[in-house]
Amino acid sequence: MEKIRQFIAEFIGTFALIFVGIGAIKTAGHDVLGVALAHGLTIGAFVCATLHISGGQLNPAVTFGLLCGGHMKFINAIWYWFAQCLGAICAAFICLGLFNRDVVVNGTPQLAINLTASQGILVEAILTFFLVFVVHGTAVDHRGPRGIAGLAIGATITLDILFGGPLTGAAMNPARVFGPAVAANFWKDHYVYWLGPLIGGALGGLVYRVLIERRPAAGT
């Protein structure tokens, strides 16, 4: 039952992010602040709602960062990835039915015209590193301020989008692009939004584990 509860929590939280994300881009358009706040508030709210159930990860890159940081078992990570991607797909298909394909495509993070794929990967990696580092420092590390984890993580999403929104859409989350790609059959530069966030997530988990957490060696 515990795994089912975790699956449901990750599904609902990721569903909310993609649903609100597509809708916010439709209504806010080029208003980066509005889009950033919509994503940040959604993540903040659903991290708070799911933190005690599943850890409030809601992002395959965050799950990968926790896996690399030693806070997640591989079999559990697969379970989480499935829930997150399924939630993203369902949300995108509902948006497709509510609006149309163009809205879903426009609501999908994309590279700026003057940005190369390698630059996009770098931007996504750095932004995701920030996110995963904050997740470790607030929601994972027992020394951190767990009570404000949702606020801190939501704020990180917001500031990341304020910087990276005009460049890559600041996905920081493979599910944020995968769900709409499946629903709208839109795969342009899709690999950028897996490589960048997964690299950044892995580095965030490893750096926090090795340089910040400093776990004692076995037997000490």
Side-chain angles (χ1 to χ4, degrees):
M1 278 302 297
E2 184 64 24
K3 281 194 180 341
I4 297 297
R5 284 192 289 267
Q6 291 170 348
F7 184 95
I8 293 171
E10 289 294 307
F11 175 93
I12 292 174
T14 312
F15 179 102
L17 174 64
I18 278 62
F19 186 76
V20 172
I22 294 173
I25 292 173
K26 178 184 184 299
T27 56
H30 297 292
D31 179 7
V32 177
L33 178 59
V35 173
L37 287 173
H39 285 79
L41 289 171
T42 303
I43 283 292
F46 280 89
V47 165
C48 289
T50 61
L51 186 62
H52 64 292
I53 305 169
S54 64
Q57 298 175 29
L58 319 181
N59 181 339
V62 170
T63 300
F64 191 55
L66 293 176
L67 178 65
C68 293
H71 292 285
M72 196 83 183
K73 294 180 179 178
F74 184 68
I75 187 65
N76 291 337
I78 293 175
W79 186 243
Y80 274 51
W81 288 330
F82 180 53
Q84 293 156 358
C85 289
L86 184 61
I89 291 170
C90 290
F93 268 109
I94 289 177
C95 286
L96 184 67
L98 287 174
F99 310 119
N100 55 53
R101 182 179 182 273
D102 287 344
V103 170
V104 175
V105 169
N106 290 335
T108 304
Q110 299 177 44
L111 295 179
I113 294 175
N114 61 342
L115 208 70
T116 66
S118 58
Q119 290 173 324
I121 291 170
L122 178 62
V123 170
E124 286 289 321
I126 293 172
L127 298 181
T128 310
F129 175 90
F130 293 159
L131 174 60
V132 172
F133 189 87
V134 171
V135 168
H136 275 80
T138 58
V140 178
D141 193 334
H142 68 277
R143 301 167 299 179
R146 191 177 176 88
I148 64 165
L151 175 63
I153 294 166
T156 305
I157 293 289
T158 302
L159 66 89
D160 275 359
I161 293 177
L162 287 174
F163 172 83
L167 300 175
T168 64
M172 301 164 278
N173 184 339
R176 178 67 186 83
V177 178
F178 181 69
V182 173
N185 192 27
F186 180 75
W187 303 94
K188 185 178 180 182
D189 299 316
H190 189 76
Y191 67 97
V192 168
Y193 296 97
W194 283 92
L195 287 179
L198 290 178
I199 291 170
L203 289 174
L206 288 170
V207 166
Y208 199 93
R209 178 178 185 175
V210 174
L211 300 180
I212 307 296
E213 203 167 14
R214 295 177 300 179
R215 299 180 197 174
T220 62

